[in-house]
Amino acid sequence: MLVRYGQARRMLELIQEAREIGLFTEQSRHLAAGIHGIVGAAMTTIATIRDADGRHQCTLEHEMSTPSDINARRIIAAVRTNRNVSTTFCQMRRRLYTTPTVTARRRDLVSDHDWYRSESFNELHRSCGYDDHIYSFRATGGGRIHAIGIRRALGDRPYDEHDRNLIELFHEEVVRIQQRPKGSEGPQLAPRERAVLARLLRGASEKQVAADLNLSQHTVHSYTKSIYSAYRVSSRAELLVRCLAS
């Protein structure tokens, strides 16, 4: 999984800042504004959706969008009412039937040909000044979905695979800090982080972990920094002590 090193570093700093904020609403606002700047978005939304079954209108139990202007509100209204909602949004909801975690670019879901001829683009997105986007959905149980939407301004370059990978990593971190069960012991790690942690604790180097998991060393290094941050340690020895203690 390739990401741009500078963006990954800024993303991890953002996650650490959010942990220190603690308060849910302020945390969501900070996360939305932070990733908005890192990936060069025109609109960023972090939301919890209920009853998103692809047929009925959605209930947004929590939503934080940047910016909070009339065009952003039009996009959110479309999601709530299922009117002119993008075909990509519907595709994401359908994909959750087979996998609980999905992160995809608009071009991964709908071709340029279909997108630029769609009602959603021509009647909603274009008039709002938005175009290319990345959606990331995580089913969190109880019919709820934790969702992130990142939109480019009309005329900006499309999002690439590096951007998609960054949002996937970012979403894993956001879910972990916002959906952590009350009273749970120890940090809640994403599946890839647990795989990296297990190998680090067995003494593997980051290079060995990267080869074992078929990841780049930059990606493994990003996961390692995230694990250190989650356990509030700064070395492999400290990490081992914390894990043994728990």
Side-chain angles (χ1 to χ4, degrees):
M1 178 184 287
L2 297 177
V3 295
R4 296 181 180 88
Y5 179 76
Q7 286 185 327
R9 178 180 55 78
R10 291 168 62 194
M11 185 268 287
L12 291 171
E13 291 172 352
L14 173 64
I15 291 296
Q16 182 57 35
E17 291 166 359
R19 285 197 183 95
E20 293 171 357
I21 291 171
L23 297 173
F24 184 83
T25 300
E26 293 301 317
Q27 192 179 73
S28 295
R29 183 177 292 111
H30 188 73
L31 287 165
I35 200 67
H36 184 85
I38 290 171
V39 299
M43 176 184 173
T44 298
T45 303
I46 298 177
T48 301
I49 304 171
R50 183 166 56 84
D51 296 332
D53 61 4
R55 294 185 298 276
H56 306 294
Q57 65 187 45
C58 299
T59 298
L60 270 64
E61 297 186 335
H62 168 76
E63 174 264 318
M64 182 65 62
S65 292
T66 303
S68 56
D69 59 18
I70 187 171
N71 290 324
R73 291 196 293 273
R74 287 182 62 193
I75 295 290
I76 295 301
V79 173
R80 291 181 188 274
T81 61
N82 218 16
R83 182 178 181 182
N84 281 341
V85 68
S86 71
T87 51
T88 50
F89 189 84
C90 297
Q91 288 271 17
M92 291 291 288
R93 289 154 75 174
R94 284 194 286 271
R95 288 193 179 195
L96 286 179
Y97 295 149
T98 58
T99 178
T101 64
V102 184
T103 303
R105 299 173 299 162
R106 190 273 300 166
R107 287 182 168 181
D108 298 327
L109 301 165
V110 178
S111 69
D112 284 355
H113 177 273
D114 291 339
W115 171 243
Y116 290 116
R117 293 172 183 266
S118 71
E119 185 177 280
S120 179
F121 174 73
N122 287 290
E123 296 189 13
L124 178 65
H125 283 76
R126 184 164 62 179
S127 63
C128 289
Y130 302 131
D131 186 1
D132 203 60
H133 46 276
I134 297 174
Y135 282 137
S136 189
F137 285 5
R138 300 288 183 270
T140 57
R144 289 173 172 80
I145 298 168
H146 194 277
I148 295 176
I150 310 284
R151 286 179 169 80
R152 283 271 201 226
L154 196 65
D156 281 357
R157 71 166 179 83
Y159 284 113
D160 60 22
E161 192 68 16
H162 291 80
D163 298 314
R164 192 211 71 86
N165 293 342
L166 184 78
I167 297 304
E168 182 177 2
L169 294 173
F170 174 71
H171 203 173
E172 289 177 358
E173 292 291 328
V174 171
V175 169
R176 191 179 71 198
I177 63 176
Q178 293 197 334
Q179 304 290 89
R180 179 178 176 178
K182 293 180 179 179
S184 62
E185 294 185 3
Q188 301 296 302
L189 300 181
R192 286 193 184 91
E193 291 172 330
R194 290 197 297 270
V196 171
L197 174 61
R199 287 160 176 79
L200 292 176
L201 293 178
R202 289 200 296 266
S205 67
E206 290 186 5
K207 182 178 180 179
Q208 290 170 326
V209 174
D212 193 19
L213 297 179
N214 195 28
L215 298 171
S216 72
Q217 285 186 244
H218 280 317
T219 300
V220 171
H221 185 65
S222 295
Y223 279 132
T224 301
K225 289 182 66 176
S226 179
I227 292 167
Y228 281 11
S229 178
Y231 278 94
R232 299 185 182 278
V233 300
S234 57
S235 69
R236 185 84 64 95
E238 288 182 272
L239 180 64
L240 179 60
V241 171
R242 286 292 304 275
C243 290
L244 290 175
S246 61

